């Protein structure tokens, strides 16, 4: 090997080690604050960890251009917010994920923030129920709050069990649509506050 090639190889190896050290320092410095942000917004530990992994993977893939970034902290938080928004959009389109998040909020009622969020969930649900027509609302409340059977509701309201079933089905659809709209509004508010 020619001496100039040896020097070039040593310079390249030193540059790689320096890049790894810088990346390691960035990871140690920003992993927890970025994770905290992602967890606060997604309410899911695994999702937050995945998002942070994606953020640092994206940073690693562009490691040769990191020196061009003026404010690395702002850049990392911007990438994290983008990944969270992407996740929230996916959730907004996926009913199962949306249900998991909403019911996850109710399950976290032990912690102060979760209690507030659970109250917000309950208030959104109350608004959705309040918009139901009177009979449909009565059927829905008899079923969900009092746990009555279709037959009991039908007897009490002097309607058929089939009508009870139709009222409950329509009420559920209306409430789901209300939650969809509320959830999309929340996503838009989050995106607006970040821009």
């Amino acid at each position: 090997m020619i001496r100039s090639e040896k020097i070039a190889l040593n310079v390249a190896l030193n540059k790689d080690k320096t890049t790894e050290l810088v990346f390691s320092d960035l990871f140690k410095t920003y992993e927890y604050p970025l994770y905290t942000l992602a967890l606060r917004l997604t309410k899911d530990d695994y999702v937050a960890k995945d998002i942070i992994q994606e953020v640092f993977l994206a940073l690693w893939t562009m490691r040769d251009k990191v020196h061009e970034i003026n404010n690395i902290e702002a850049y990392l938080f911007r990438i994290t917010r983008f990944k969270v928004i992407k996740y929230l959009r996916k959730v907004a389109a996926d009913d199962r994920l949306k249900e998991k998040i909403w019911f996850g909020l109710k399950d976290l009622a032990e912690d102060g923030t979760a209690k507030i969020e659970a109250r917000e969930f309950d208030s959104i649900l109350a608004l959705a129920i309040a918009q139901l027509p009177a009979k449909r609302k009565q059927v829905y409340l008899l079923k969900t709050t009092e746990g009555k059977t279709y037959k009991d509701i039908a007897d009490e309201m002097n309607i058929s069990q089939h009508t009870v079933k139709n009222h409950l089905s329509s009420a559920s659809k209306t409430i789901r649509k209300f939650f969809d709209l509320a959830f999309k509004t929340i996503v838009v508010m989050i995106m607006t506050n970040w821009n």
Side-chain angles (χ1 to χ4, degrees):
M1 187 179 285
I2 301 172
R3 182 170 164 75
S4 62
E5 289 177 346
K6 218 178 207 183
I7 292 171
L9 180 61
N10 283 336
V11 168
L13 289 174
N14 285 336
K15 183 180 177 189
D16 287 344
K17 286 182 183 179
T18 303
T19 302
E20 287 177 27
L21 288 173
V22 168
F23 186 82
S24 178
D25 285 345
L26 287 173
F27 184 79
K28 288 176 187 172
T29 303
Y30 294 108
E31 176 195 18
Y32 184 74
L34 295 174
Y35 164 78
T36 303
L37 172 67
L39 179 63
R40 193 180 79 225
L41 297 172
T42 63
K43 309 293 186 240
D44 189 318
D45 178 57
Y46 294 112
V47 171
K49 287 178 180 173
D50 283 348
I51 286 173
I52 300 313
Q53 189 172 24
E54 287 177 27
V55 167
F56 282 102
L57 181 61
L59 185 65
W60 180 254
T61 58
M62 60 169 288
R63 63 189 172 275
D64 296 334
K65 297 180 182 180
V66 169
H67 65 279
E68 297 173 9
I69 301 171
N70 292 333
N71 185 341
I72 194 72
E73 180 177 6
Y75 181 79
L76 288 171
F77 275 92
R78 191 168 43 249
I79 291 176
T80 303
R81 286 191 298 266
F82 172 76
K83 299 280 185 190
V84 168
I85 289 168
K86 185 176 174 185
Y87 169 76
L88 291 175
R89 283 182 180 151
K90 180 180 176 188
V91 169
D94 187 332
D95 288 335
R96 287 175 299 175
L97 283 175
K98 194 172 6 183
E99 269 184 44
K100 179 182 172 191
I101 286 178
W102 282 112
F103 289 111
L105 290 175
K106 287 192 92 168
D107 291 341
L108 293 171
E110 296 305 311
D111 137 295
T113 304
K115 285 181 182 177
I116 292 168
E117 291 165 346
R119 275 184 286 197
E120 289 173 1
F121 173 86
D122 290 341
S123 66
I124 292 171
L125 180 60
L127 286 172
I129 292 170
Q131 292 186 354
L132 295 173
K135 240 183 188 178
R136 191 168 296 155
K137 181 181 356 177
Q138 184 181 1
V139 168
Y140 183 82
L141 291 173
L142 287 171
K143 179 68 177 159
T144 58
T145 59
E146 296 183 28
K148 294 194 174 190
T149 65
Y150 285 22
K151 183 178 181 347
D152 292 339
I153 296 169
D155 291 344
E156 184 175 323
M157 294 183 66
N158 200 24
I159 56 177
S160 73
Q161 289 183 39
H162 183 71
T163 303
V164 170
K165 181 180 175 182
N166 287 342
H167 277 304
L168 287 172
S169 176
S170 294
S172 295
K173 285 178 187 173
T174 301
I175 291 169
R176 252 185 261 119
K177 284 180 184 176
F178 192 89
F179 270 103
D180 283 345
L181 180 62
F183 194 79
K184 287 175 183 172
T185 303
I186 290 169
V187 170
V188 167
M189 286 172 40
I190 289 171
M191 290 176 10
T192 303
N193 287 334
W194 282 338
N195 292 333

